[in-house]
Amino acid sequence: MTRSAASVTVKASPTTVKVGHSVRFTGRTSGIPTGASVRLQQEMDGKWSTLKESTTVKKGNAYLLSTRPTSKGTQHYRVMVGKTHSDTVTVTVQ
């Protein structure tokens, strides 16, 4: 029996927000156990930085994270579960 590759998806809501307002990141995992740690990352100066926001994979392979951006501009985020990361989502902060 072959094991499927681990994967994680992410969606940001809203994708345009004012500084200090909350952005929610939701998604689902596949091939990742319930209870695994999910960490939010932000691209800064071309490098991914792990933020303090974290949660765990819940029953049904879903997760929910939120953050409050502190600076204006186009921000890029992704989530990490172990060595597996999601695609990038873009949030415009006004």
Side-chain angles (χ1 to χ4, degrees), residues 38-81:
V38 180
R39 302 296 307 263
L40 184 63
Q41 292 188 316
Q42 182 178 11
E43 187 178 24
M44 295 184 218
D45 299 322
K47 295 182 181 180
W48 288 101
S49 177
T50 301
L51 304 178
K52 65 180 180 182
E53 291 80 357
S54 67
T55 189
T56 57
V57 176
K58 308 294 187 223
K59 193 173 184 179
N61 300 321
Y63 70 87
L64 165 67
L65 286 163
S66 63
T67 192
R68 294 178 184 272
T70 58
S71 59
K72 291 183 179 182
T74 302
Q75 309 292 330
H76 301 282
Y77 296 93
R78 71 181 186 184
V79 295
M80 287 286 294
V81 184

